[in-house]
Amino acid sequence: MPRLKEDQLKKIYEERKQQITLAAVRIFAQRGLPGTKISMITAEAGVSHGLFYHYFKTKEELFTSLVREAIETSMKEMDSLSQLTVSPIEKIKILTQGMLDENGAPYFMLLHRARNFEEVPEEVSQLIQQYPVDVYVKLLLPLFEEGQQRGEVADGEAEELIASYLTVLSGVMVLGKGYVTPQVDWLLRFVEKK
Amino acid sequence: MPRLKEDQLKKIYEERKQQITLAAVRIFAQRGLPGTKISMITAEAGVSHGLFYHYFKTKEELFTSLVREAIETSMKEMDSLSQLTVSPIEKIKILTQGMLDENGAPYFMLLHRARNFEEVPEEVSQLIQQYPVDVYVKLLLPLFEEGQQRGEVADGEAEELIASYLTVLSGVMVLGKGYVTPQVDWLLRFVEKK
Amino acid sequence: MPRLKEDQLKKIYEERKQQITLAAVRIFAQRGLPGTKISMITAEAGVSHGLFYHYFKTKEELFTSLVREAIETSMKEMDSLSQLTVSPIEKIKILTQGMLDENGAPYFMLLHRARNFEEVPEEVSQLIQQYPVDVYVKLLLPLFEEGQQRGEVADGEAEELIASYLTVLSGVMVLGKGYVTPQVDWLLRFVEKK
Amino acid sequence: MPRLKEDQLKKIYEERKQQITLAAVRIFAQRGLPGTKISMITAEAGVSHGLFYHYFKTKEELFTSLVREAIETSMKEMDSLSQLTVSPIEKIKILTQGMLDENGAPYFMLLHRARNFEEVPEEVSQLIQQYPVDVYVKLLLPLFEEGQQRGEVADGEAEELIASYLTVLSGVMVLGKGYVTPQVDWLLRFVEKK
DNA sequence: GATGAATGAGTCTTCATTCAT
DNA sequence: GATGAATGAAGACTCATTCAT
């Protein structure tokens, strides 16, 4: 029988896993799947490379689970906008700020990499196909349409407007250091009426 | 006719080199340096992998020379804007169109990869440091200032506006397939006055 | 265009492949799949470990193909007995000699390992299930029945006799060095009448 | 009652050790030394892998001690034949039955593996050299010679006959599942006179 | 005694690069 | 110039072993 309570073991397990996961997100985001070596992740996490395999089956498996997580998180965040009790344009502002947030960036970067570049595991390809940009567009459609009715959001084909705006936001997010991040208010020019 | 023969050989040499280079740009742009295998390049170019080394010393060397070329080309293009005899906002439109041009995209992608991600050869790091985004900003500054004076371009700190716009354009370019590419006129909202 | 004729390349390719294969058979037979390291095979074959992967996809793939080959060869050999124009007991003697033959032993050892021991690739398990000992028994049944009718072969349930004899022969073959190989005439006592 | 407690601990110790040992014999016999992972043994024994190292220093040490045990047991069994008060051929029958006994098989398999295959620890090699098949032959020689004198055992060079018979029995034993185990009476044909 | 987290040596495998032809 | 056989450094992954709890 173990001296350590099951709880304690569980806690250690989850903490270590989280620790490695966080390191992995950062490095995957920066270097991509083929550019990321296990040794980079474990060095960043401060553990031995052997421990990686105590927690994850393969590099690909971890990458895949991170992409899955990123999709879920981004869907949830966009969805949660509808709960807020502010005007549409305010919601769009919040969305914009959220997407430019430093902390979220690595996840978006991951998605970007999964979506466009590189050799990715089959499962990632499938996930990406299941959640094309279009899904986000549909999710945001009511918000933008309401904004148009209220005269807050620029007229025109709402779906294209949303898709274009998401492209811009994603692009900005993906670039990261080396580029100047535009002010939120400037970015909103793309969608504001007049 | 040894002369003729020499010319022919030279021509074949250049053609082959170009053939491999074009393949390399595409694949480097899509997969990055570590994600690109020599075999991918040579397969795409339709030659044996051994031949690669007749034309290039190493994978890194090719990557580096492509980055150098990309920098030169982009500098030249921006510079050439000043020769045109159209209004500032028109020039910015042309710039925008140029950057979104399909053909140019791979080069920009390459630059993007060199600028942000991945392990790159030392020489590439140096090139990138010599040509930060700021250099482009300075290059475009007269154009935007003139635009502001004429009331065509949005007010505000011109350098930040340029840098931000370049971020937006670069971001859009980098995303590629999987995202909706915004229309040029729509993108111009970011810099247009009113 | 290659300087070497396609034939020559093909020849080199086949020779090298054969060279590695032979080394592999010996070592797999002696050490089994998990006991065989790629470095052992390539050292025995006198090539670099990298070359192994020029000719084979994985260690498992090679093992599998060898098992397949072993099955085919053994089936063919038993089948070819029926072509001979000698008495049944003579054929059984030839079979016995053939199975004890040093050269064939590694292949049988391989089959034995695949049949009984060790972790083997899924495909090997399937092959082994498709070709149980029973298949050999059926193949030899006419031969033994004719022998019984002629009074050359011991009476009794022919199928069990064959199966038992194959067990004995396989066992002897599998043991190899460290044990005394029984004389063929002595082994024939198991099946000879009286 | 520290005394009682000590006894109990000792008992638990021995039981656990036995439990792991039994699991190890089975798996070593089936998979060989390199094919056996500590985790397989501990899973089979139903304990954590860490516990293995409370009872054994290394995998090799356990394997070696098992081989030693197998040698001792087999020597003892053959030796005990001479105590019996039955005819030589009866004794040979008992020997045969003993060797085919399911329970003993794993030990013989172990010996077989140690004798022929695989990478074994230096100490095992030495044990095997100290107890070649020849030792068993010498042990059984009086028995077979008596059998020949009585006309129960086939004529001929007794030592070769014994060695050959041991080969046959060992072979049958080693094959295990997948093969038909011959009946004892049928195997005796090999040594019986007539 | 017992557990499982942690480590690192050893293998498998990939792939950039060289080189004989 | 062109090819593909050959090499070996580097990276992914496994697993025996240690050790804190």
Side-chain angles (χ1 to χ4, degrees), chain B residues 116-145:
Chain B
N116 277 283
F117 296 161
E118 340 228 313
E119 203 92 308
V120 288
E122 177 54 22
E123 206 185 337
V124 168
S125 301
Q126 289 176 4
L127 277 172
I128 291 302
Q129 289 192 318
Q130 281 169 37
Y131 295 93
V133 174
D134 207 45
V135 170
Y136 296 93
V137 174
K138 295 277 185 263
L139 214 53
L140 294 173
L141 190 53
L143 175 59
F144 274 68
E145 284 180 340

Side-chain angles (χ1 to χ4, degrees), chain C residues 56-73:
Chain C
F56 305 99
K57 252 184 21 191
T58 65
K59 190 170 80 157
E60 271 73 21
E61 193 233 41
L62 175 54
F63 187 82
T64 303
S65 78
L66 290 177
V67 167
R68 192 197 315 283
E69 210 176 297
I71 289 176
E72 282 171 13
T73 305

Side-chain angles (χ1 to χ4, degrees), chain C residues 35-124:
Chain C
T36 298
K37 314 300 173 199
I38 295 291
S39 60
M40 293 173 179
I41 296 176
T42 52
E44 173 96 1
V47 299
S48 71
H49 72 266
L51 197 59
F52 180 92
Y53 294 94
H54 195 65
Y55 292 99
F56 305 99
K57 252 184 21 191
T58 65
K59 190 170 80 157
E60 271 73 21
E61 193 233 41
L62 175 54
F63 187 82
T64 303
S65 78
L66 290 177
V67 167
R68 192 197 315 283
E69 210 176 297
I71 289 176
E72 282 171 13
T73 305
S74 62
M75 297 291 287
K76 225 174 287 175
E77 278 186 20
M78 288 198 184
D79 203 44
S80 71
L81 279 181
S82 60
Q83 315 292 338
L84 300 178
T85 56
V86 295
S87 71
I89 195 72
E90 270 304 309
K91 287 183 182 174
I92 295 172
K93 186 170 183 176
I94 290 168
L95 171 70
T96 304
Q97 282 170 327
M99 283 187 70
L100 298 187
D101 177 33
E102 284 268 313
N103 299 332
Y107 271 110
F108 271 97
M109 202 89 102
L110 224 58
L111 272 183
H112 164 58
R113 286 190 171 277
R115 204 176 286 285
N116 278 284
F117 295 163
E118 339 229 313
E119 202 92 309
V120 289
E122 177 53 22
E123 205 185 337
V124 168

